[in-house]
Amino acid sequence: MPDPSDSLHAGGLTRYAARILLFDRTGRVLLFLDEFPDLPGQAKWITPGGGADPGETPHETAVRELYEETGLVADGLGELVHSLRFPVNRPAVRHTTSHWDFFVHVVDEPFEPSREHWTEEELAQVLGHRWWTLQELVAEQVPFAPAGLLGLVARYAPGSPERLVAEVAAQPAIDVPSFGNDDAVELGELATELSRTARANLSVRVVLRGDVAYQARLGTTGPDNDPWLDGKARAVAMTGEPSILSRLRAEAAGQVFEDGDRPGIGDVRGHGGSVPIRVRGELVGTLTTSGEPDRLDHAVAAEAVRRFLAARGLA
């Protein structure tokens, strides 16, 4: 967590670090609330991990840091799954670039991290820890680092299809006495704001009775996302339920959901991000997001629905 000068080896002003996406079997991820002394009031939730010692491989750094920060011995840590490099502008440190390598490790259940091997600096700057679900991270809109953390959690979090089906099926859905263009814009704006706080590259679209009532493109999204928006919405039209359930139900049955043309429907894509809008039981539209791993796409749409209903006393 701290910025030791000996982690600047072999890269001049680049700090090399390893970080661990530490999950339990249900997909909750362990994060620490970390506040640098030179950045008071700017605490962020980050994964366990820290700077490399001279001569260490990224894997060796990850194993050591995980032990020092949690007490967990993980000789069976898996392969490197993601790397990123980003600029650093902090007068209190010497490096101007950080390079982070991410690894994934899964434990059976959450545990209380040990502080036995924490440095004085870590004891001072780590304000807390928590095992988070992806849905909680989206809903609570907490500050985190790096920008793409929620996408990594969505991509690598474990979870059986059966459990995920049950979770999605239990989420609130829109079935209201009336739903017009103003409601569509409100719902779309909720999803757009959640996309921003999740630092997610998402396209957001609300379709009402065949017409696009709201659309926004965030980050790097663009026309290439439109086939996904269309295909996910068709999955809802085909099944009447969130698009992610097309894939999850197939996986729970030991099958693979095949994207592609369906007679009378068109190109269907059974990936997360589209949810139904009903008026008195009739399917009249969809809220759809696209651009991130499908579990994050779905989490944003599901939380937008929850907030829309909560504002009306319906959730």
Side-chain angles (χ1 to χ4, degrees), residues 9 16-21 48-53 55-68 72-83 99-105:
H9 66 91
Y16 291 85
R19 311 214 69 88
I20 303 92
L21 293 159
D53 285 343
E56 280 187 328
T57 66
H59 185 274
E60 290 168 341
T61 302
V63 170
R64 175 181 54 77
E65 285 286 339
L66 186 59
Y67 173 70
E68 291 177 354
L72 183 66
V73 177
D75 292 333
L77 201 64
E79 297 298 315
L80 187 154
V81 298
H82 183 75
S83 296
H99 177 102
W100 287 3
D101 291 316
F102 283 86
F103 296 81
V104 173
H105 191 69

Side-chain angles (χ1 to χ4, degrees), residues 109-146:
E109 58 187 23
F111 62 91
E112 187 74 15
S114 169
R115 295 188 172 200
E116 181 181 356
H117 301 289
W118 286 21
T119 65
E120 290 186 8
E121 185 177 356
E122 288 170 334
L123 290 168
Q125 73 184 47
V126 179
L127 307 182
H129 71 275
R130 177 172 167 181
W131 292 84
W132 292 85
T133 67
L134 176 63
Q135 200 69 48
E136 289 169 343
L137 287 166
V138 170
E140 298 190 28
Q141 297 179 287
V142 295
F144 57 84

Side-chain angles (χ1 to χ4, degrees), residues 285-301:
T286 51
L287 163 65
T288 309
T289 65
S290 175
E292 293 284 353
D294 77 335
R295 286 172 68 176
L296 179 52
D297 289 357
H298 174 78
V300 168

Side-chain angles (χ1 to χ4, degrees), residues 56-306:
E56 280 187 328
T57 66
H59 185 274
E60 290 168 341
T61 302
V63 170
R64 175 181 54 77
E65 285 286 339
L66 186 59
Y67 173 70
E68 291 177 354
E69 295 188 359
T70 71
L72 183 66
V73 177
D75 292 333
L77 201 64
E79 297 298 315
L80 187 154
V81 298
H82 183 75
S83 296
L84 63 86
R85 184 178 293 252
F86 55 93
V88 175
N89 184 18
R90 288 175 52 209
V93 299
R94 294 193 299 119
H95 63 281
T96 56
T97 302
S98 282
H99 177 102
W100 287 3
D101 291 316
F102 283 86
F103 296 81
V104 173
H105 191 69
V106 180
V107 295
D108 288 334
E109 58 187 23
F111 62 91
E112 187 74 15
S114 169
R115 295 188 172 200
E116 181 181 356
H117 301 289
W118 286 21
T119 65
E120 290 186 8
E121 185 177 356
E122 288 170 334
L123 290 168
Q125 73 184 47
V126 179
L127 307 182
H129 71 275
R130 177 172 167 181
W131 292 84
W132 292 85
T133 67
L134 176 63
Q135 200 69 48
E136 289 169 343
L137 287 166
V138 170
E140 298 190 28
Q141 297 179 287
V142 295
F144 57 84
L149 177 62
L150 300 198
L152 292 174
V153 172
R155 186 179 301 278
Y156 295 109
S160 69
E162 294 81 3
R163 181 183 60 79
L164 294 172
V165 165
E167 287 182 2
V168 173
Q171 291 170 342
I174 296 176
D175 193 344
V176 289
S178 64
F179 191 97
N181 287 332
D182 290 346
D183 300 307
V185 171
E186 179 185 346
L187 180 61
E189 287 178 342
L190 284 169
T192 298
E193 178 58 26
L194 286 163
S195 299
R196 288 196 181 100
T197 57
R199 303 167 78 178
N201 292 304
L202 286 178
S203 280
V204 178
R205 180 189 289 172
V206 181
V207 173
L208 182 59
R209 299 191 185 280
D211 293 328
V212 176
Y214 178 92
Q215 181 153 338
R217 302 189 195 279
L218 281 73
T220 59
T221 60
D224 288 348
N225 294 96
D226 289 349
W228 288 96
L229 293 167
D230 294 337
K232 292 178 182 182
R234 291 191 190 104
V236 174
M238 184 177 72
T239 66
E241 59 185 12
S243 56
I244 197 170
L245 288 178
S246 297
R247 174 176 66 80
L248 292 176
R249 290 193 191 283
E251 291 177 358
Q255 302 169 356
V256 176
F257 183 89
E258 297 288 348
D259 292 341
D261 287 335
R262 299 296 194 280
I265 299 177
D267 181 28
V268 174
R269 305 196 180 188
H271 299 262
S274 192
V275 294
I277 299 169
R278 287 187 170 83
V279 172
R280 300 184 186 278
E282 177 192 0
L283 181 63
V284 299
T286 51
L287 163 65
T288 309
T289 65
S290 175
E292 293 284 353
D294 77 335
R295 286 172 68 176
L296 179 52
D297 289 357
H298 174 78
V300 168
E303 178 59 19
V305 166
R306 190 197 67 78

